[in-house]
Amino acid sequence: LFLSWKKVLIFLKSSKDCFFSFFYLSITFTLAAPAWRFLPLLVTEHLLGDEVLLGAITSAFGIGSIIGGSLLGIWGGSRKRIKTTILARFGSGICYLVLGLIPSGNFILPVLACVSFGITFSISLGSQRAVLLAVVPSRFQGRIFSIFGWSQAVLQPLGFAIFGFFGELTGIAVMFLFSGSILIGCAIFMRLTPALMTIEDTVIEKD
């Protein structure tokens, strides 16, 4: 068991494209994803809404996720799925920025932003998983995705601590702007990382 996991770590170290994919996902888990868990505070403290608005925007996110997943299933993404991933992640960042900039008392804009976020989030996550499934050897896939899941479980609490601490100092809306900027920055740096942009050009050692 130890040797098999050692081979996985060696594979990640030798595969720059998978390593950068893991790196940018880790940044997202730590500095961007926790923002969504603080949505109730955004509703009550910034948007000055109530349970009706909170229920509406969380439902909107769910509807958007279904729409995004359905679109991706029908369309399949662009010829280079990594481009679909990057574009959708950029769109998710824009949605976060909109949520942080919406003036208090608005009902329609938060709902539309959360529908859009659900669409872009599901497309980004689905496309990235499809890329990894296409390039990671089948004997490593289970362990690779286990590492991604483990990193998410470890890094998100750290993100919650960072988000909670600075949210108290700056306000919850500012932290949504920060998280949106992180997502947009990740999308830009992913686009500028050659190893990621060519991740689908070479098939990595199939069984």
Side-chain angles (χ1 to χ4, degrees):
L1 181 62
F2 174 77
L3 289 176
S4 64
W5 277 101
K6 184 179 179 181
K7 289 180 181 178
V8 171
L9 295 176
I10 292 172
F11 168 76
L12 278 177
K13 185 178 179 180
S14 63
S15 177
K16 288 185 178 181
D17 39 20
C18 289
F19 171 79
F20 279 115
S21 183
F22 178 77
F23 175 72
Y24 288 121
L25 270 178
S26 298
I27 293 177
T28 301
F29 291 151
T30 307
L31 299 176
W36 186 253
R37 304 297 183 185
F38 289 84
L39 191 63
L41 291 178
L42 182 75
V43 170
T44 57
E45 295 184 6
H46 176 65
L47 298 176
L48 304 179
D50 53 14
E51 65 275 5
V52 176
L53 177 58
L54 179 60
I57 60 180
T58 50
S59 298
F61 171 75
I63 293 170
S65 298
I66 294 172
I67 294 173
S70 301
L71 286 173
L72 187 61
I74 296 170
W75 168 41
S78 59
R79 187 176 64 85
K80 277 199 169 186
R81 284 165 290 192
I82 190 64
K83 289 184 177 181
T84 306
T85 301
I86 293 171
L87 183 61
R89 187 158 299 176
F90 187 89
S92 294
I94 295 295
C95 294
Y96 265 26
L97 291 182
V98 171
L99 284 171
L101 291 171
I102 293 173
S104 302
N106 200 300
F107 186 90
I108 299 299
L109 281 180
V111 172
L112 293 178
C114 286
V115 170
S116 302
F117 178 64
I119 293 172
T120 55
F121 174 80
S122 58
I123 290 177
S124 174
L125 189 61
S127 298
Q128 185 152 19
R129 287 185 180 273
V131 169
L132 291 173
L133 284 170
V135 301
V136 175
S138 59
R139 67 180 182 276
F140 290 150
Q141 287 177 4
R143 296 182 181 92
I144 291 293
F145 283 105
S146 293
I147 290 175
F148 284 172
W150 170 83
S151 67
Q152 180 178 3
V154 170
L155 293 174
Q156 276 199 353
L158 175 61
F160 291 148
I162 295 172
F163 201 98
F165 177 77
F166 287 102
E168 285 287 331
L169 297 177
T170 63
I172 204 71
V174 173
M175 294 309 295
F176 267 80
L177 296 176
F178 170 75
S179 295
S181 301
I182 290 294
L183 285 172
I184 291 173
C186 278
I188 293 173
F189 279 106
M190 287 173 72
R191 180 64 182 85
L192 297 175
T193 304
L196 269 182
M197 295 310 300
T198 59
I199 189 171
E200 296 169 271
D201 293 347
T202 304
V203 178
I204 303 176
E205 190 194 344
K206 295 295 180 180
D207 294 332

